[in-house]
Amino acid sequence: MFNDDLVFKALGDPSRRFLLDLLFQRDGQTLGELEAELAMTRFGVMKHLRVLEDAGLVVTRRSGREKLHFLNPVPIRLIHDRWIDKYRERQVSALTDLKTSLESKKCQSSKKKA
Amino acid sequence: MFNDDLVFKALGDPSRRFLLDLLFQRDGQTLGELEAELAMTRFGVMKHLRVLEDAGLVVTRRSGREKLHFLNPVPIRLIHDRWIDKYRERQVSALTDLKTSLESKKCQSSKKKA
DNA sequence: TTGACATGTGACAAAATAGTCACATATAGT
DNA sequence: ACTATATGTGACTATTTTGTCACATGTCAA
């Protein structure tokens, strides 16, 4: 259904991850809108969107002369399932929640170990 | 705590994902053991392991003249959390479970919508 | 100490990737 | 029809990444 290699390659570039962030924030943006957020010509952005679309991370719909882009989270969920054992999920979750919790309380305690 | 870019870059290569698969299967393997599973000299494997270690996806422990490698699933969980909205998680999960379910029952029903 | 084994380093060539540009197509509005 | 706008294509260069090799370090065991 989804090609592993395309998905991971797509996620390997910071500009593409930023594009996903933008779409996560607001779905259905056009190339023009997305282009404005990147420090790059529209050609570069177009190429990146193409890679994301080929990977299935972004789906598109044409509307007149515009092309609307939507985030598709399914392949990302599948990545997760590959290396997170169902039985160990609870423990890993606890760890990441701890991390989140620590980060939101940065100012309360001055000492913490990495 | 974990550097996004290093993690995603690390996951972008198929050989490195295969190494993670090997460690997911059996933790604590040495370079020598891992090398035997890849179609590549030990130098290539070493480089890949270094990338994984820098990303925090693999942690190591020396034991005499050997170096043992262990999978660390935490960064992968964090990837997941980045684009899977907590409120939408249930729906996405349902979709991936459906996918799994369909794949294991390929022969039962002939008609299914995407 | 000697030799065998396991891992490590820096330089290198080949391959893949990112980003730009000239040029092209398609649509909306007047 | 004409013009401005939005997206698309292929060629090109610069950079990054992959994988290899000669050489080096550290460890075990006799």
Side-chain angles (χ1 to χ4, degrees):
Chain A
M1 201 171 188
F2 293 107
N3 182 328
D4 269 23
D5 198 47
L6 293 182
V7 172
F8 284 106
K9 280 265 168 60
L11 292 174
D13 181 274
S15 301
R16 286 195 287 265
R17 291 196 298 277
F18 183 58
L19 284 169
L20 292 183
D21 288 337
L22 289 175
L23 293 179
F24 183 61
Q25 220 172 4
R26 183 162 65 83
D27 243 1
Q29 297 192 61
T30 68
L31 170 59
E33 289 174 306
L34 295 168
E35 174 200 344
E37 308 288 331
L38 285 262
M40 178 187 315
T41 65
R42 80 187 163 81
F43 303 101
V45 177
M46 209 163 49
K47 247 187 184 177
H48 284 308
L49 286 172
R50 174 67 188 275
V51 173
L52 289 169
E53 195 175 352
D54 286 347
L57 286 161
V58 161
V59 292
T60 62
R61 189 168 55 96
R62 284 215 77 106
S63 165
R65 59 182 166 186
E66 295 184 328
K67 188 173 180 181
L68 308 180
H69 299 78
F70 303 85
L71 173 63
N72 177 20
V74 172
I76 293 164
R77 172 71 197 196
L78 294 176
I79 291 177
H80 172 266
D81 293 351
R82 177 169 181 174
W83 290 297
I84 307 285
D85 195 316
K86 289 267 184 280
Y87 303 103
R88 274 181 253 167
E89 167 123 39
R90 200 180 290 268
Q91 303 161 40
V92 178
S93 241
L95 272 179
T96 59
D97 289 351
L98 173 64
K99 170 188 178 298
T100 307
S101 164
L102 285 174
E103 285 180 347
S104 63
K105 293 182 194 163
K106 273 206 184 89
C107 32
Q108 296 189 4
S109 165
S110 58
K111 190 170 293 183
K112 54 179 175 175
K113 297 257 181 184
Chain B
M1 200 172 189
F2 292 108
N3 182 328
D4 268 23
D5 198 46
L6 292 182
V7 172
F8 284 106
K9 280 264 168 57
L11 291 174
D13 182 273
S15 301
R16 286 193 287 265
R17 292 195 299 276
F18 183 58
L19 284 169
L20 292 183
D21 288 336
L22 290 175
L23 293 178
F24 184 59
Q25 221 171 4
R26 182 162 65 83
D27 243 2
Q29 297 193 61
T30 68
L31 170 59
E33 289 173 305
L34 295 168
E35 174 199 345
E37 306 289 329
L38 285 262
M40 180 187 314
T41 66
R42 82 190 160 81
F43 303 101
V45 177
M46 209 162 51
K47 248 186 183 175
H48 284 307
L49 286 172
R50 173 68 188 275
V51 173
L52 289 168
E53 194 175 353
D54 287 347
L57 286 161
V58 161
V59 293
T60 62
R61 190 169 54 99
R62 285 214 76 109
S63 166
R65 58 184 166 184
E66 296 183 329
K67 188 173 181 182
L68 308 181
H69 299 79
F70 301 86
L71 173 63
N72 177 21
V74 173
I76 294 165
R77 172 72 197 196
L78 294 176
I79 291 178
H80 173 267
D81 293 351
R82 176 168 182 174
W83 290 298
I84 307 284
D85 194 316
K86 289 267 184 279
Y87 303 103
R88 276 181 249 167
E89 166 123 37
R90 201 180 288 269
Q91 303 161 40
V92 178
S93 241
L95 271 178
T96 58
D97 289 351
L98 173 64
K99 170 188 177 298
T100 307
S101 164
L102 285 174
E103 284 180 347
S104 63
K105 293 183 195 165
K106 273 203 186 96
C107 31
Q108 293 189 5
S109 165
S110 57
K111 191 171 293 184
K112 52 180 174 176
K113 296 256 180 184

